[in-house]
Each structure stands twice: as C-alpha cells, then as structure tokens.
Amino acid sequence: MDTDAFLTASYARIRASAAVPASTNAPTLPHAAALSAARSLLPGSTAEEEEASLRGIGAEAALAHLTNAVAPALEGHNRGGRYFGFVTGSTLPIAEAADNLVSAFDNSVQVHLPDQSISTEVEDAALRLLLRLLDLGGEERWRGRTFTTGATASNVLGLACGREAVVRARLSPEARERGESVGELGILGACAAAEIREIQVLTSMGHSSLSKAASVVGLGRRAVKELPHNEAEPWRLDLHAVERELRRKDIASIIVVSAGEVNTGRFATSSADDLRRLRDLADRYGAWIHVDGAFGIFARALPATDEFAHLKEAAAGLELADSITVDGHKLLNVPYDTGIFFTRESTTLHAAFQNPNAVYLSAPGASSIPSPLNIGLENSRRFRALPVYAVLLSEGRAGIADMLARMVRLARGIAAALTQRPDLKYEYRLLPAGRGSEDTHVVVLFRARDEGLNAALVSKIQGSREWYVSGTKWDGRPACRIAVASWRVNVDEDLEFVTSSLAKIAKDWRDGVR
C-alpha cells in the first residue's frame, strides 16, 4: 500500500463525510435509520462473530466502513452551530488541521527533551499565551501550568494541589524539612502528622466533576459542602458561611469557586471584591482557592465594551486564586480532549504528580519547562497543545473576542425573546426568576409554562434533529438549557430559527399536535 496516497485519499473522504453543503445546516443528531444501519454492521458479540471480525479486511475496506457506516451515525455538533447541548464547542478549521498534524507526527509530550523535539516548548508557549488572553498575569505568577484531558482532570489536579498545600501548611517545620507531604505519606499519614481530621471542599452549585475529583484524591464525595448565598441565588457562594467553616478546629479547607455554574452560567462571585475577601480569608486560615472556570473564565476575553461589562465584572478577581481549571474544547473551539490547569507553583504539582524511579524518563539538565509527566496525571500524553497554539496564532485576541461575543449575543437574544416576544413570553418562563439579559453569558435556562409541554420539550427539540438542547432540573422540576458554544454561530439566523421553533412547538401543543 502506498501510505501517502492512502492517507491523502482518506483525509479527502473524511472531509467529504463531514462536509455540509453551503446554505444548509447539518443535523445535530443522526437519524434512527443511520444508527440502526451502523449498529447492524458492528461486530457481533459471540466468539465466532468476534473472531470473524479479526480476520482483517484491509485499510481500504476499513476506511469505507468508517466513512459510510460509522460517520453517518455520529452526532453533528462540529458540523453546525445549533448543537446547544451541555457546553459543547465545535472545532475551528485551523484547530482541526493542527489536530491532523498531531496525529501525523504522533509525538508523546511527556518529557522535556529540547534537543529532540520542540513539542514541550510549543505547549509552554500556548499556556503562556492563554494566560495573556485571559488576563491572568504572566508566567511568573503561574509557574505551574499544564494541559489535561478536560475540566474533570483539571479539577482533580486542583483538589490534589489544594490537598497538598493545606496539609503542608499544618505540618511542623521539621516535617516540611523532611519533605513530608500527602504525596509521600498518603492522605491518612499526612493528615495524622498535621493533626487534621478532615479536609472539606466548600463551594456553591459545584460541577458534578468536583465530587468525582474529591473521591479520586481521597477526600471523599461527602467532603464537598454546598454553601449557597440564598435560595434565590444558589450559585453564589455565601462568604459568611465560608468564614464560619474556615474557623472550625482541626479541619482544613479547599474553596472552589464556580465560574460559571453549568445550569445558569452564573458566577459564584460577583466582583473582584468577593475574590479579594476570599483571598484574605484563605490566607488567614490556610485555605486553598480553586476556580472551576471551564467555560465562564472566557468572559475575561470578551471585548472590553459596555456590552460585556457586567460579565467581565463577574469574572474579575479570578486571578487571585491558587489554581484554575479551563476547558479548551468548550468555548475555545479546539478538539476533544483539551483541558488546561494553572497553579501558582510548579512544586505543588510536582509534590503530587512526580514520576519517580524511572531514569529513562528523566530530562537532561535543569530547565524552566518541567517534564509534563511530573506535573500531571498522564505519562503518555497526546500533543493536545498544538490545536490551542494554532487557534491563538490564527485568531488572535481580537478574533477570539469576536467569536465569544457572538456566542453571548445569541444567548442574550434568546433570553430576551423569551421574556419579550408575545408568542413566547406567555408560553415559556426564563429561569432563574428575575434574571436579566445582562446576566446571560452563554447559557439560557427556561421551561414551558404548560406542565405537559415542559415534560416533553427537550425530547421534541432533540427529535427534530435540527437543533439540540440539554434537559436539566431547576427547583426540582424539569427545565431546558441552551448553551451556545460554537464558532459557527450566526446570531441573526440562529436567533430567528430558535425562537420560531419554540413558538411553533408551543402552538402545536396548544392545537393538540403531539
């Protein structure tokens, strides 16, 4: 087989399978027939069928199976701008091209070997540029920085670093001098040495991955404690309650600030003043502040205009945290799986994640760039930094700000229509109550006023295959959420489509069309 010819042809066939004709919109979900057809062509589950599938059909036939059977049965969030589920970005063309280059060269970015590959330096450059884009300060303020598989992994790193720091702060000087830490002694041994009986995680409407991270790092899911400001604003962190918890004897604390909350997009803090107060409390009581900024932190990269001033104020002060989670495959529109993690000191990461006793994985000499395998979960690592680097160079600060602004404008347009259009405001209710459009970032939460329609709303939208939303619950009742996260957004066209679709769904329901 001519390898180059095969790959050239395969890339063309892959693009053809994903292409969308001009002036049309790709379906957000595959049709049932495509799913059924693809499912019928998968290997059977009996031993004989599985053995038959392992006889080998050759690269050409395998590629045909992928493009003709599997591709039509995949969801279409990267093929159009109307996939509003979860917080799912598309992939910018330059990011897809860069990701193809990643596969073509297949470098494992694990050890900093500057005489052998530029990959770790590209990764570090991408991280430094992200710090500038998000206005978090320069590299000297964030010496611990790395790429992860996503916000979940970054939250694991955040709690692991927090765990190391809050325990170390309570160890005796002699124990610290001996290099004792959670990483060395384990969670039980280190807490015993530091006379800590519990490490708690204080948050408000924290993402579900926070509980997973607490379990992974040995704190336990029950360590996560919700401290909502009040019933009307449960996403806001109650700073008085935080201080009360920090005063508890023999208990160490990690404070997690949600920026923003996944159902509403709202921020746990409302201004830099809130973060300054949290910083003061954390310093006074030896706590750690982690920001889960998976998508909300990109409010800091919006244009510096009055239009976005309220959002930028809500995201102000996040630079005062000890560690920060960022997701690239959400609003930055790079491929899955791309997460980012920042913390003040690389030594904190190293204490938890160093990969000892493997001389063959050691980097020669000292360097300002640590080997990634010593500051993160993975030893084998995809070069996921390259698409991020490509997007930052291609789009620049202004291009990214414009992309983010279009997302916000569409979300705000939908929110405004739900409260102002006569054919919508009597059919749907914008949530939370009393919310204004200036509070809207990229998430719109709402429900139908008719209970029957409300129960069926998400399935009706998803069943159209023309657009996609996520179902959730708010105040214990079903709700619908739209999360705008694609570079493909066309504000005017998509706003008209969404609002007209919602109006038709409501009218059909009233007319008895089920």
Side-chain angles (χ1 to χ4, degrees):
M1 180 179 69
D2 184 328
T3 301
D4 287 341
F6 171 76
L7 288 173
T8 299
S10 69
Y11 289 155
R13 290 171 68 177
I14 290 167
R15 285 309 314 154
S17 71
V20 181
S23 302
T24 64
N25 286 282
T28 53
L29 293 177
H31 289 282
L35 286 167
S36 179
R39 197 168 286 123
S40 71
L41 295 172
L42 294 178
S45 58
T46 68
E48 293 79 8
E49 289 170 322
E50 289 171 348
E51 282 297 331
S53 296
L54 290 173
R55 290 172 185 163
I57 59 175
E60 288 286 352
L63 179 63
H65 172 66
L66 298 181
T67 55
N68 298 336
V70 176
L74 299 175
E75 62 187 28
H77 72 261
N78 191 37
R79 302 176 64 216
R82 294 175 181 170
Y83 189 98
F84 303 126
F86 313 102
V87 187
T88 303
S90 300
T91 297
L92 283 158
I94 184 61
E96 182 178 332
D99 202 51
N100 283 334
L101 192 150
V102 171
S103 292
F105 282 82
D106 196 26
N107 277 209
S108 178
V109 189
Q110 56 179 179
V111 181
H112 178 53
L113 298 170
D115 293 334
Q116 300 178 28
S117 174
I118 197 71
S119 59
T120 49
E121 292 168 78
V122 171
E123 179 166 314
D124 189 63
L127 292 165
R128 288 186 284 108
L129 291 176
L130 274 171
L131 287 171
R132 295 296 178 186
L133 176 74
L134 299 173
D135 195 24
L136 292 171
E139 60 182 299
E140 68 284 348
R141 294 183 64 179
W142 301 96
R143 298 186 185 279
R145 48 190 188 267
T146 190
F147 278 90
T148 69
T149 56
T152 299
S154 291
N155 282 340
V156 170
L157 266 61
L159 294 195
C161 287
R163 178 195 66 183
E164 289 288 343
V166 299
V167 171
R168 178 178 171 79
R170 300 192 183 202
L171 288 169
S172 67
E174 294 78 15
R176 290 198 294 269
E177 184 67 26
R178 292 192 297 269
E180 294 183 2
S181 65
V182 177
E184 292 296 328
L185 301 179
I187 188 74
L188 295 178
C191 284
E195 298 183 343
I196 294 171
R197 60 184 175 87
E198 180 185 341
I199 300 175
Q200 61 183 357
V201 180
L202 309 177
T203 192
S204 54
M205 294 194 76
H207 191 268
S208 60
S209 65
L210 190 60
S211 293
K212 177 186 283 191
S215 173
V216 169
V217 303
L219 306 183
R221 287 182 286 272
R222 291 186 184 179
V224 180
K225 299 182 179 180
E226 293 285 340
L227 301 178
H229 185 263
N230 53 43
E231 288 187 5
E233 298 177 300
W235 58 84
R236 283 188 61 191
L237 188 60
D238 185 338
L239 303 189
H240 294 292
V242 169
E243 183 169 11
R244 187 167 60 247
E245 290 290 332
L246 294 180
R247 288 174 176 166
R248 296 176 65 197
K249 186 179 180 181
D250 303 332
I251 294 178
S253 299
I254 300 168
I255 304 164
V256 178
V257 176
S258 296
E261 190 274 321
V262 73
N263 283 301
T264 64
R266 301 290 289 273
F267 292 75
T269 53
S270 59
S271 67
D273 287 342
D274 286 349
L275 265 298
R276 281 191 284 268
R277 183 176 173 193
L278 275 180
R279 182 72 271 164
D280 176 67
L281 290 172
D283 291 343
R284 192 187 317 165
Y285 294 102
W288 179 273
I289 301 174
H290 175 66
V291 168
D292 183 354
F295 63 92
I297 199 166
F298 284 98
R300 296 172 67 95
L302 285 164
T305 62
D306 290 344
E307 181 181 7
F308 305 110
H310 187 75
L311 286 174
K312 292 180 80 71
E313 181 183 10
L318 299 181
E319 71 279 1
L320 298 176
D322 295 295
S323 59
I324 298 176
T325 281
V326 184
D327 239 337
H329 52 237
K330 289 184 170 65
L331 302 197
L332 193 57
N333 277 237
V334 296
Y336 282 99
D337 46 16
T338 306
I340 301 102
F341 179 75
F342 296 117
T343 192
R344 295 292 178 182
E345 297 296 336
S346 181
T347 53
T348 312
L349 278 169
H350 195 270
F353 298 105
Q354 63 178 300
N355 194 79
N357 306 323
V359 176
Y360 77 102
L361 292 176
S362 300
S367 173
S368 61
I369 299 177
S371 289
L373 86 170
N374 287 321
I375 57 172
L377 292 167
E378 302 162 284
N379 279 14
S380 301
R381 299 171 75 249
R382 182 173 173 80
F383 191 11
R384 59 178 62 92
L386 191 62
V388 173
Y389 179 71
V391 166
L392 293 169
L393 292 184
S394 169
E395 307 305 302
R397 184 185 293 276
I400 292 170
D402 179 69
M403 175 180 70
L404 297 171
R406 287 186 284 113
M407 297 175 192
V408 176
R409 286 171 184 144
L410 176 56
R412 287 181 169 179
I414 295 169
L418 289 170
T419 59
Q420 297 171 16
R421 270 184 52 161
D423 57 347
L424 294 177
K425 67 179 182 179
Y426 300 115
E427 306 290 348
Y428 300 98
R429 186 188 303 276
L430 184 66
L431 301 170
R435 184 178 183 182
S437 62
E438 71 171 6
D439 297 320
T440 301
H441 183 203
V442 296
V443 178
V444 182
L445 183 68
F446 65 102
R447 66 166 53 102
R449 294 178 184 269
D450 182 284
E451 292 295 338
L453 175 57
N454 192 51
L457 182 58
V458 171
S459 62
K460 281 187 167 294
I461 292 170
Q462 292 180 356
S464 73
R465 263 63 176 179
E466 294 182 303
W467 57 307
Y468 188 96
V469 298
S470 293
T472 188
K473 284 194 173 182
W474 189 257
D475 292 333
R477 295 168 54 206
C480 181
R481 58 183 291 280
I482 290 172
V484 185
S486 174
W487 69 271
R488 295 179 183 271
V489 161
N490 182 309
V491 177
D492 293 336
E493 290 183 8
D494 293 336
L495 178 59
E496 175 59 27
F497 172 83
V498 169
T499 52
S500 297
S501 296
L502 286 173
K504 184 178 186 305
I505 288 171
K507 182 179 183 303
D508 286 348
W509 188 267
R510 287 197 317 272
D511 293 342
V513 179
R514 298 291 191 267

